[in-house]
């Protein structure tokens, strides 16, 4: 005997909600999107044309699709036709993949996703799943939707431009020397600008046109032959200069796209070529990608940002600004790994934001070892006399203060160094181990007082039981989020291009991770 099975008979219930389990992920998505204020959806209202799908419904099905590791618009469209939870969220509507893709990259989606994170955080606080004591910050690189062979390198463009400048300057001098064209009023003696190259091309064009008129007016075969021969050189030079104008315009566009970066992809010009962790062959292959930064607590992502910088050090300050502006006020403790430890970042957190920076620096672990502390050639181990403001080297020689030096990095951050110099290094038996300075020159020591104080602050803080426990918690709080995002959700490559759209998709993917963890909490 079999259970009754009849395809020609209407079966109840028709309400799809009854088919879902009580703790189904669709209910969490529904409640989260419904908690977003109506004002956030106002920009989608249209007073003319065919009525559009409700943005709440569109946001729900996109979030639901990402929680099921479905990132394609076509696949999400398919789910609205054969998935019970998606059919319930869409309430029978079946938007096309084009509609889904257009909505996913809509500029207003940035605000909707931000509201999702704000509302989700409020829900976590209300349910006491996070305590707002600290945020844990980390970053990962995710591959862009770009061809890995469409790279443009800044160093190569600088090399080509320098060669073009040299050739154009030399040609200009030769044209003046042979009186082919008159002098051009130049803005700079170093290089010809684009407008000056265009003016040079116009004057060469006049020379060529003059030869052409003479050829057409001449009736003598020998004379016409001589004129054509004379026209050949300026005609070739005109073609070359016109090509230089095109190249120089391209280089100017390239430098504008580069900004502070060293590379970009022709397919997605906002993407930078970075070294990815999935380089299993260890051959240093670079891929176009983005640096995704997140702030977590309780393994929930509370804020995120997307940056084209390869290193985490330069992303911390703009990311903290974004958190304060778009998401929430910073808690007392900011926890991150050694990749964020720098003088500029410590100064920003301690002096500007008045928070506690539980962030190590590159040499932190090494400086704690017995070998490092007992190494007499490490300048941090040299004896310092505060009264005389002098250091003593391993050979017993005194280094006295000489002058103050200031250095600026590419971002304009200024570092101040106190420079000390040894009185006499002649005949020192430790010279080879102590300095690489030439014979006859004395050992110099540049001390960054502020950096030394910041490192001492970090060492003191992390020696405290509470701060040490928070820092140790970082590995189990923020890193599992990236593991879930890439390994469990399968989100290893963006499906949209340009930074603004990539940022939207990042928010959707991270919120999908949040929702899945929230549902699985038991």
């Amino acid at each position: 005997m079999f259970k009754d099975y009849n395809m020609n008979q209407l079966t109840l219930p028709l309400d799809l909600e009854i088919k879902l389990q009580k703790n189904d992920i669709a209910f969490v998505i529904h409640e989260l999107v419904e908690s977003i204020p109506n004002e956030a959806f106002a920009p989608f209202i249209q007073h003319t044309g065919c009525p559009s799908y409700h943005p709440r419904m569109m946001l729900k099905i996109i979030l639901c699709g990402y929680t099921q590791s479905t990132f394609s618009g076509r696949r999400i469209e398919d789910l609205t036709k054969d998935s019970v939870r998606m059919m319930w969220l869409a309430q029978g509507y079946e938007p096309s993949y084009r509609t889904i893709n257009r909505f996913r990259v809509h500029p207003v989606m940035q605000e909707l996703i931000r509201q999702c994170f704000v509302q989700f955080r409020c829900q976590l606080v209300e349910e006491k799943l996070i305590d707002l004591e600290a945020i844990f910050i980390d970053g990962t690189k995710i591959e862009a939707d770009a061809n890995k062979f469409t790279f443009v390198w800044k160093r190569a463009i600088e090399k080509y431009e320098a060669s073009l400048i040299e050739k154009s300057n030399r040609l200009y001098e030769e044209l003046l020397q042979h009186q082919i064209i008159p002098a051009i009023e130049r803005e700079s003696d170093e290089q010809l600008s684009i407008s000056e190259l265009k003016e040079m091309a116009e004057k060469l064009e006049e020379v060529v046109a003059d030869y052409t008129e003479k050829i057409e007016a001449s009736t003598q075969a020998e004379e016409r032959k001589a004129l054509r021969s004379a026209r050949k050189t300026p005609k070739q030079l005109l073609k070359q200069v016109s090509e230089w104008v095109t190249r120089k315009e391209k280089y100017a566009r390239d430098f504008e796209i580069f900004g502070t970066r060293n590379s970009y992809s022709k397919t997605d010009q906002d993407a930078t070529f970075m070294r990815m962790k999935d380089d299993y062959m260890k051959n240093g292959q670079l891929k176009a990608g983005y640096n995704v930064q997140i702030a977590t607590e309780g393994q929930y992502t509370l804020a995120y940002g997307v940056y084209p910088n390869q290193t985490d050090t330069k992303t911390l300050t703009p990311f903290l600004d974004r958190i304060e502006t778009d998401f929430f006020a910073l808690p007392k403790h900011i926890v991150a790994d050694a990749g964020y430890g720098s003088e500029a970042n410590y100064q920003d957190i301690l002096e500007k934001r008045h928070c506690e920076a539980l962030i190590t620096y590159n040499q932190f672990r090494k400086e704690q070892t017995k070998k490092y502390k007992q190494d007499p050639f490490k300048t941090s181990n040299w004896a310092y006399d505060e009264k005389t403001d002098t250091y003593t080297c391993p050979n017993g020689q005194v280094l006295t203060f000489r002058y103050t030096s200031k250095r600026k990095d590419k971002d304009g951050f200024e570092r101040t160094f106190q420079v000390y110099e040894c009185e006499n290094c002649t005949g020192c038996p430790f010279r080879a181990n102590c300095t690489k300075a030439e014979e006859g020159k004395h050992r110099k020591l540049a001390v960054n007082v502020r950096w030394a104080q910041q490192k001492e602050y970090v060492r003191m803080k992390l020696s405290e039981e509470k701060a040490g426990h928070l820092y140790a918690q970082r590995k189990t709080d923020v890193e599992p989020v990236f593991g879930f995002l890439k390994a469990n959700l399968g989100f290893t490559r963006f499906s949209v291009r340009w930074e603004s759209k990539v940022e939207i998709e990042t928010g959707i993917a991270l919120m999908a991770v949040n929702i899945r963890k929230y549902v699985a909490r038991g």
Side-chain angles (χ1 to χ4, degrees), residues 160 364 389:
Y160 297 147
F364 177 78
D389 190 20

Side-chain angles (χ1 to χ4, degrees), residues 384-452:
Y384 174 70
D385 189 336
E386 191 173 350
K387 291 183 179 179
T388 59
D389 190 20
T390 57
Y391 285 86
T392 304
C393 75
N395 194 34
Q397 296 294 323
V398 177
L399 286 83
T400 57
F401 173 75
R402 296 300 186 192
Y403 57 89
T404 300
S405 172
K406 293 187 177 181
R407 304 173 194 171
K408 274 189 177 181
D409 59 17
K410 294 180 181 179
D411 300 323
F413 182 77
E414 188 175 79
R415 294 175 173 82
T416 304
F417 295 87
Q418 306 291 331
V419 181
Y420 297 80
E421 186 175 4
C422 185
E423 295 178 351
N424 186 14
C425 287
T426 306
C428 178
F430 305 125
R431 183 179 182 88
N433 295 325
C434 182
T435 180
K436 294 181 180 179
E438 297 177 1
E439 194 68 39
K441 293 185 178 181
H442 301 310
R443 174 73 157 91
K444 287 185 179 181
L445 174 63
V447 179
N448 188 336
V449 177
R450 183 167 60 186
W451 176 236

Side-chain angles (χ1 to χ4, degrees), residues 25-267:
I25 200 169
F27 294 122
V28 177
I29 295 171
H30 169 69
E31 291 171 4
L32 176 63
V33 175
E34 289 297 326
S35 67
I36 299 176
N38 291 327
E39 292 77 14
F41 298 95
F44 288 99
I45 298 176
Q46 297 179 358
H47 300 286
T48 58
C50 179
S52 58
Y53 292 111
H54 202 289
R56 288 190 193 273
M57 183 270 287
M58 295 295 297
L59 180 57
K60 288 176 187 178
I61 64 172
I62 289 175
L63 281 174
C64 188
Y66 272 71
T67 60
Q68 308 307 305
S69 301
T70 303
F71 315 122
S72 162
R74 292 180 185 269
R75 294 291 304 279
I76 294 175
E77 178 188 359
D78 292 340
L79 286 179
T80 60
K81 299 174 182 178
D82 55 27
S83 168
V84 174
R85 62 168 60 96
M86 288 287 273
M87 291 165 65
W88 176 71
L89 288 172
Q91 287 295 295
Y93 290 112
E94 297 177 359
S96 69
Y97 72 92
R98 291 189 181 89
T99 304
I100 293 170
N101 288 339
R102 280 198 300 266
F103 183 86
R104 178 168 52 177
V105 298
H106 196 286
V108 183
M109 269 292 284
Q110 184 68 54
E111 174 61 17
L112 289 185
I113 297 300
R114 188 191 73 83
Q115 288 282 356
C116 278
F117 276 89
V118 171
Q119 296 298 331
F120 187 75
R121 180 174 177 272
C122 292
Q123 186 174 339
L124 295 177
V125 173
E126 185 178 344
E127 297 181 17
K128 297 182 180 180
L129 294 175
I130 57 175
D131 54 19
L132 308 181
E133 187 178 15
I135 55 170
F136 303 88
I137 294 176
D138 203 358
T140 189
K141 297 175 181 66
I142 298 180
E143 189 178 350
D145 181 25
N147 189 320
K148 62 182 178 180
F149 299 111
T150 59
F151 45 76
V152 181
W153 302 105
K154 189 174 187 178
R155 187 177 295 180
I157 298 300
E158 288 173 342
K159 176 183 174 182
Y160 297 147
E161 188 186 43
S163 175
L164 189 150
I165 290 171
E166 183 183 351
K167 290 178 182 178
S168 60
N169 286 342
R170 185 168 60 245
L171 177 61
Y172 176 70
E173 295 299 330
E174 290 176 0
L175 291 174
L176 289 182
Q177 185 178 355
H178 294 89
Q179 297 182 349
I180 297 176
I181 63 171
I184 297 171
E185 187 176 344
R186 299 178 61 177
E187 300 174 2
S188 170
D189 294 332
E190 295 181 1
Q191 62 174 302
L192 291 160
S193 65
I194 295 175
S195 59
E196 289 165 354
L197 280 173
K198 287 182 177 178
E199 186 176 350
M200 193 163 87
E202 289 173 1
K203 294 187 181 299
L204 283 170
E205 195 172 356
E206 291 174 4
V207 173
V208 172
D210 184 53
Y211 274 116
T212 303
E213 288 179 5
K214 290 178 181 179
I215 291 169
E216 292 175 351
S218 176
T219 57
Q220 300 293 326
E222 290 297 326
E223 184 181 5
R224 289 165 65 89
K225 185 177 179 181
L227 288 170
R228 286 195 192 94
S229 178
R231 185 182 66 173
K232 185 177 180 181
T233 298
K235 198 171 184 180
Q236 290 175 340
L237 294 176
L238 172 61
K239 183 179 179 181
Q240 189 176 49
V241 173
S242 299
E243 181 187 344
W244 286 347
V245 171
T246 304
R247 284 173 56 190
K248 200 168 182 67
E249 289 175 339
K250 177 187 177 299
Y251 296 155
R253 288 194 301 271
D254 287 337
F255 284 119
E256 186 178 350
I257 295 170
F258 283 130
T260 58
R261 299 179 294 161
N262 293 322
S263 64
Y264 76 84
S265 170
K266 295 177 184 177
T267 316

